[in-house]
Amino acid sequence: MRILASIATLLLSATSSRGCSSVDLGVVSDTNIFVCSDSVVRVTHTPNGTKPKTKSLVINADWSPASYKVANASNQLTITTNKLQVVYDYISNSVSFNDADGSSITNEISHSFSPSTTSSANLSSITQSWKTDSNEGIYGGGEYQSGFINWAGAPLSLVQYNTEAAVPFFLSTKGYGLLWDDYSWTHLNDGMEVSMKYDGQIGTATVDLTAGTHNFQVRTCRPWGCSAVTLVVSVTNTVTKETYVGQNWNIINMPAQLLARVDVPAAGTYLVTVKYSGSQVDKLYINPPNATEFLQLRSEASEGIDYYFMWGEGKMDGAVAGYREASGAAYLFGKHAYGFWQCKNRYHNQSELTGAALEFRKRRIPVDNIVQDYKYWGSLGWGPHWDPSIYPDPAGMVKTLHDNDIRFMVSVWARFDTDTTFYQEMNAKGYIIKDSQYYDPYNPLAREMYYNFSNVSHFSIGVDSLWLDATEPEHFPNYDHQVYLGPGNQYMNPFSLMTSTAIADGLRKDYPNEQGSRVFTLTRSSFAGQQRTGAVLWSGDIMATWDSFRRQIVSALNYQMSGIPYWSEDIGGYFRNNGQYQNPDYWCLLTRWFQFGVFTPIFRVHGQANTELWNFGPYVERWVVDSAINLRYRLLPYIYSGFRRVEQEGYTMQRAMPFDFPGDMNVRNMGDQFMFGESLLVAPVYTPNDTNSDVATRSVYLPAGGWWEFNTGRMMGATVGWTVNISSTILQTPIFARAGTILVMGPKIQHTGEAADPLEVRIYRDSDATFTLFEDDGKSPSMEPNHQFSEITFTWSETNEQLTISDRVGSFPGMLTNRTLNVVIVNENYGTGVEPTLTPNKTVTYTGSKVNIPF
């Protein structure tokens, strides 16, 4: 490598209006640096003198020309933007990232290439590592069932499975993000491989461990995962015989990895034991405590290293906004999508489905959406067509639903039975992946045909959205096969991104003012950039157990820390016990799961057999409606306004605690409570009731500051974070509002199309507060320049004890011109819980003009 001898300072700017600007390093190197914006930089390292790829499946930004300075001195080249310094070291051939003041954020440690061990020719196994602080939190990477939220020092395999979704974006508590633009099987923080001895279904290894937290990865059932597995990882001191259990899994749809974490109290020799059922354990890896001092990514089949550094100026929200700037915004859904979704496996015929929908209305259980799962094709073969013997009038069925203000979603798969016209037409064009029944979504013509199949069967008759099932896809048909873009091993992970793109592109073209105005799809897999397609991940076919419920809380948080703000689940679990309708423990589990679902982006029940609430009897029906569904609908003004921020600001609504408290070390590994928007702290109950009691008690950590208990109106506060024990009846969820919160709640309604009047304005005092209420027609394209909407800003002055409501800004067709506002100053046992406050402090008729309300 030639080192530049001269010292020069250059002023440069991008020469193209699209893409990132390449920086001339002045040397022949495997490294390239591209400035995309003030806060986003692309770095590539390529083997054998090859050039970086020019097209990305993930990046779709149209960046304006970026201005920056380049200074070359002391064997280093420094690139400076308004927010960031990027330093290239000629000697080590590495890149460092500093803030605008020159303070270190992170830096590359090393990168390497080796021949790929897959069957794909001319590809490399690539490895890149970066320096991290020992107490730095690292999050994201997708959705996983391990139950852990902080990946610092932890090994992880990024590949798609039923219940796990790979999204290669990682977020740091220091306020930066790393987007790994690679599509092959990827590994985070490879550990030390340990040889195991097997005796039946027990594997053991004797190892020397230091004191501290050790992370274990058991790779099992590769490559396809297992149908059902019990697996326990424990560590026993060979001298004291003390045993520490790191993980205890009993799971259906076991992925190809299990993670465990053990706090080893003292250095010594330990026996690691893995007990399992199902397929034999493949390999065991261990990461020691000092593995938290770096972050490493390795991909198995790649052309070269390609990643984007997003600097959020120390804020995690800023880094997520950078990710969405690069890969696409998460658009606001139609308002109905934030209501309740009724789903089950499955409705067997047209009368069963319409009967269930009408029963919701008869019983006055709020609902906005109902879903048809698979096999509506009956005897016609696996594919998107209606068997007329069981669905004689699909168009009429859709009309009946719409006439009752219920939207309709239908399940579609990416594979077809070989005797269907769908398969035969695809196969004749070469659009089927070899030796499979799956189409090739990497082919644009195949994507267009795939969309057209559903256009004919579904969208043309008014179906509102699709449920894209098994988009991992199941059993990796692309593995060791070619796809349109190249080796299937190189393109392992973005199948779901390309399939959801097919539907989004078609709908936006053919139905720009109907289904395509705000595209919504549900899918079982994900990848970076998928948020721009209107696709929502659900966490797959999970078990109906308390432990599975606990894992979904963590899954939701880590997935949304991967930059994608929309997530869902099968409330109540998919695999359910046959005695679910008579089992009081399951009634409790189901109710608690619904209460958690209120505070997830998409609120949806699903599972085997009949999931409609009346099947569980009147007690469960009322528990769920009163404590969960009514609360969801009452919170819609807060929820819908929050997701407008998601679209416009790159915000995240369901927020792991480090988002808002990145400097609080107590929340770094906290995966069982979260913020919902900036005002509400939610701590779901995920255990049965206390022994011989009708309440469940759990601990809740309250960060420094003031907090109001939602259910009681009690105010708590301290200058440091502290933990409280909260006991909740079956009708309560531990919820806290920050001191200085204005919570605007709507009335009880049956669906989102009903008028949101009157509004209850709850004020949680002890600090100034502000909230902006966003409203529109709930359906027209929200990102269009001429989109019509209104905003009303509420401001509370603690000093003046006065609420100010601003002039209304904007308007839209159908807007309520006059609003009734019931203002409530929350206090102990007043303005609390789900029910509307019957005697508000003041009632105001708001006509759109500014008003001051003193107290």
Side-chain angles (χ1 to χ4, degrees):
M1 180 180 294
R2 178 174 62 87
I3 306 297
L4 294 181
S6 62
I7 298 176
T9 300
L10 303 173
L11 289 175
L12 300 176
S13 63
T15 57
S16 64
S17 61
R18 182 173 180 85
C20 308
S21 179
S22 177
V23 177
D24 183 3
L25 301 181
V27 294
V28 177
S29 170
D30 68 4
T31 299
N32 289 275
I33 300 174
F34 304 82
V35 178
C36 305
S37 71
D38 283 349
S39 56
V40 178
V41 173
R42 178 191 180 199
V43 176
T44 68
H45 302 290
T46 53
N48 305 319
T50 57
K51 294 182 179 181
K53 64 176 180 283
T54 57
K55 294 183 179 179
S56 169
L57 300 182
V58 172
I59 304 300
N60 78 334
D62 190 359
W63 277 293
S64 300
S67 295
Y68 55 92
K69 297 178 180 179
V70 175
N72 187 345
S74 303
N75 297 326
Q76 291 184 335
L77 183 137
T78 300
I79 306 157
T80 303
T81 73
N82 290 334
K83 299 179 181 179
L84 188 63
Q85 292 181 6
V86 182
V87 180
Y88 175 69
D89 188 285
Y90 290 107
I91 295 176
S92 63
N93 188 27
S94 64
V95 180
S96 302
F97 303 93
N98 306 327
D99 65 19
D101 296 327
S103 299
S104 176
I105 304 168
T106 186
N107 59 272
E108 293 184 344
I109 297 175
S110 64
H111 63 267
S112 63
F113 316 98
S114 61
S116 174
T117 57
T118 74
S119 61
S120 304
N122 301 318
L123 296 174
S124 297
S125 173
I126 60 172
T127 303
Q128 174 72 61
S129 61
W130 300 264
K131 179 73 174 69
T132 57
D133 296 342
S134 59
N135 63 353
E136 188 175 337
I138 300 293
Y139 310 93
E143 175 216 65
Y144 300 92
Q145 295 297 318
S146 67
F148 303 132
I149 193 168
N150 184 356
W151 300 125
L156 180 70
S157 292
L158 279 74
V159 73
Q160 315 293 3
Y161 283 100
N162 186 346
T163 73
E164 296 200 338
V167 180
F169 174 73
F170 293 91
L171 185 61
S172 165
T173 48
K174 294 178 73 172
Y176 69 87
L178 293 168
L179 173 58
W180 185 248
D181 195 9
D182 193 279
Y183 317 130
S184 65
W185 200 311
T186 295
H187 305 272
L188 173 72
N189 300 332
D190 278 327
M192 175 186 67
E193 184 176 350
V194 176
S195 298
M196 300 188 71
K197 296 179 180 179
Y198 298 99
D199 182 4
Q201 292 188 323
I202 299 178
T204 58
T206 301
V207 295
D208 292 329
L209 301 178
T210 59
T213 301
H214 293 256
N215 286 282
F216 300 80
Q217 182 185 41
V218 179
R219 296 184 189 170
T220 180
C221 313
R222 180 166 175 161
W224 317 126
C226 303
S227 58
V229 165
T230 300
L231 204 155
V232 180
V233 178
S234 61
V235 175
T236 302
N237 188 299
T238 57
V239 177
T240 66
K241 305 303 180 183
E242 291 181 284
T243 296
Y244 311 92
V245 177
Q247 186 69 272
N248 189 338
W249 279 33
N250 183 355
I251 190 169
I252 297 174
N253 285 324
M254 172 68 189
Q257 64 177 334
L258 177 142
L259 306 179
R261 187 169 288 169
V262 177
D263 292 323
V264 175
T269 302
Y270 288 82
L271 181 70
V272 180
T273 302
V274 180
K275 298 180 180 180
Y276 56 91
S277 65
S279 299
Q280 180 168 303
V281 169
D282 182 22
K283 293 180 180 179
L284 171 68
Y285 297 85
I286 302 177
N287 280 25
N290 64 2
T292 59
E293 297 174 3
F294 64 89
L295 185 153
Q296 181 192 80
L297 286 167
R298 175 176 63 85
S299 293
E300 295 186 1
S302 305
E303 297 175 18
I305 294 167
D306 194 342
Y307 70 89
Y308 290 77
F309 177 88
M310 284 84 178
W311 175 230
E313 297 184 86
K315 297 180 179 179
M316 298 171 76
D317 278 310
V320 170
Y323 159 82
R324 298 209 199 125
E325 173 191 333
S327 62
Y331 301 116
L332 185 68
F333 291 133
K335 196 170 185 179
H336 68 93
Y338 303 101
F340 175 53
W341 292 75
Q342 167 60 31
C343 185
K344 73 175 186 179
N345 178 8
R346 58 187 164 85
Y347 292 105
H348 296 81
N349 53 62
Q350 181 172 328
S351 60
E352 181 185 352
L353 189 147
T354 54
L358 295 176
E359 187 68 15
F360 271 90
R361 290 288 178 251
K362 178 181 176 182
R363 291 174 177 263
R364 296 193 59 77
I365 300 174
V367 68
D368 266 270
N369 313 274
I370 196 165
V371 184
Q372 174 63 57
D373 202 350
Y374 68 156
K375 294 189 178 179
Y376 54 91
W377 45 79
S379 61
L380 302 182
W382 203 288
H385 45 182
W386 301 94
D387 184 338
S389 68
I390 50 179
Y391 291 87
D393 184 13
M397 177 176 63
V398 174
K399 184 178 185 303
T400 297
L401 296 174
H402 287 175
D403 287 346
N404 285 274
D405 297 294
I406 297 176
R407 305 297 182 100
F408 189 38
M409 181 167 73
V410 178
S411 170
V412 173
W413 289 54
R415 72 173 180 87
F416 315 100
D417 279 352
T418 56
D419 58 354
T420 63
T421 58
F422 309 115
Y423 177 90
Q424 291 163 4
E425 288 181 30
M426 284 271 189
N427 196 46
K429 297 283 188 180
Y431 298 163
I432 296 292
I433 297 174
K434 186 179 179 181
D435 298 331
S436 84
Q437 295 173 287
Y438 282 90
Y439 92 115
D440 182 354
Y442 301 99
N443 186 324
L445 296 178
R447 291 198 300 273
E448 184 176 346
M449 182 178 287
Y450 176 77
Y451 160 77
N452 283 333
F453 290 158
S454 275
N455 187 23
V456 171
S457 292
H458 302 128
F459 299 125
S460 67
I461 64 171
V463 169
D464 298 285
S465 57
L466 292 187
W467 172 6
L468 304 176
D469 208 344
T471 50
E472 302 85 19
E474 283 187 344
H475 304 306
F476 300 153
N478 46 335
Y479 194 76
D480 284 346
H481 288 99
Q482 288 290 116
V483 295
Y484 177 78
L485 293 178
N489 294 359
Q490 183 181 1
Y491 294 94
M492 278 293 297
N493 282 326
F495 191 101
S496 179
L497 169 64
M498 305 313 294
T499 297
S500 60
T501 296
I503 301 304
D505 287 351
L507 285 176
R508 288 166 181 163
K509 175 176 65 75
D510 291 345
Y511 302 93
N513 298 311
E514 293 86 23
Q515 298 100 316
S517 63
R518 301 191 191 184
V519 175
F520 181 99
T521 57
L522 187 69
T523 181
R524 205 173 72 184
S525 190
S526 188
F527 198 68
Q530 190 161 291
Q531 72 282 349
R532 66 176 179 258
T533 71
V536 175
L537 172 72
W538 103 92
S539 60
D541 300 338
I542 54 177
M543 293 181 68
T545 64
W546 289 101
D547 184 60
S548 176
F549 173 25
R550 174 186 67 85
R551 294 176 190 275
Q552 302 323 301
I553 302 171
V554 186
S555 296
L557 299 179
N558 239 332
Y559 178 72
Q560 290 170 81
M561 296 181 94
S562 308
I564 304 181
Y566 285 112
W567 179 91
S568 184
E569 63 185 326
D570 293 351
I571 290 176
Y574 177 76
F575 294 106
R576 301 186 179 192
N577 187 287
N578 290 333
Q580 58 180 305
Y581 307 113
Q582 294 81 36
N583 186 338
D585 182 70
Y586 183 77
W587 297 350
C588 183
L589 170 64
L590 180 65
T591 303
R592 295 302 191 190
W593 213 322
F594 261 98
Q595 290 166 355
F596 165 63
V598 170
F599 301 97
T600 61
I602 302 300
F603 182 40
R604 167 184 164 272
V605 71
H606 185 53
Q608 291 176 325
N610 297 317
T611 61
E612 300 89 355
L613 289 173
W614 52 84
N615 292 290
F616 298 90
Y619 291 113
V620 176
E621 181 178 331
R622 294 323 309 168
W623 291 348
V624 171
V625 172
D626 291 347
S627 70
I629 299 180
N630 281 341
L631 179 57
R632 175 71 174 202
Y633 279 86
R634 291 213 66 207
L635 287 173
L636 277 174
Y638 179 78
I639 293 170
Y640 196 60
S641 299
F643 279 102
R644 171 66 169 180
R645 292 185 61 190
V646 167
E647 176 185 69
Q648 296 293 311
E649 303 172 20
Y651 188 65
T652 301
M653 269 296 284
Q654 190 180 11
R655 307 168 60 78
M657 297 295 284
F659 263 120
D660 294 281
F661 310 98
D664 188 338
M665 295 302 298
N666 294 302
V667 305
R668 288 285 165 91
N669 298 314
M670 191 171 287
D672 66 348
Q673 65 178 66
F674 53 89
M675 297 296 295
F676 191 61
E678 63 182 21
S679 297
L680 299 180
L681 187 156
V682 183
V685 175
Y686 54 89
T687 59
N689 283 346
D690 303 344
T691 303
N692 299 321
S693 174
D694 60 356
V695 300
T697 302
R698 63 153 294 170
S699 63
V700 181
Y701 178 76
L702 300 176
W707 298 91
W708 293 82
E709 194 174 5
F710 179 81
N711 293 307
T712 67
R714 290 187 302 161
M715 199 274 189
M716 309 176 190
T719 57
V720 296
W722 79 107
T723 299
V724 295
N725 288 323
I726 301 296
S727 296
S728 303
T729 71
I730 195 64
L731 294 176
Q732 297 173 328
T733 301
I735 306 166
F736 292 83
R738 281 189 202 245
T741 284
I742 297 173
L743 182 63
V744 178
M745 302 178 72
K748 290 183 179 180
I749 55 177
Q750 291 298 297
H751 57 86
T752 56
E754 290 187 352
D757 197 72
L759 295 175
E760 182 173 337
V761 182
R762 293 187 183 180
I763 299 173
Y764 296 87
R765 296 186 52 174
D766 205 42
S767 183
D768 292 344
T770 186
F771 174 76
T772 298
L773 175 67
F774 168 84
E775 294 180 305
D776 64 2
D777 65 4
K779 59 184 180 182
S780 59
S782 59
M783 291 291 280
E784 293 296 324
N786 60 352
H787 175 59
Q788 295 178 288
F789 61 90
S790 73
E791 290 183 330
I792 304 170
T793 298
F794 299 78
T795 304
W796 170 258
S797 171
E798 183 70 15
T799 301
N800 299 327
E801 296 186 312
Q802 178 173 282
L803 175 67
T804 299
I805 307 173
S806 72
D807 290 328
R808 180 190 288 122
V809 177
S811 64
F812 58 91
M815 182 184 75
L816 292 176
T817 304
N818 297 331
R819 309 298 293 271
T820 300
L821 305 178
N822 293 325
V823 183
V824 176
I825 306 296
V826 175
N827 215 323
E828 190 159 357
N829 298 320
Y830 178 71
T832 62
V834 178
E835 293 299 307
T837 304
L838 297 178
T839 56
N841 293 97
K842 293 191 178 183
T843 296
V844 177
T845 298
Y846 176 75
T847 62
S849 298
K850 181 178 178 179
V851 58
N852 294 316
I853 307 171
F855 287 86

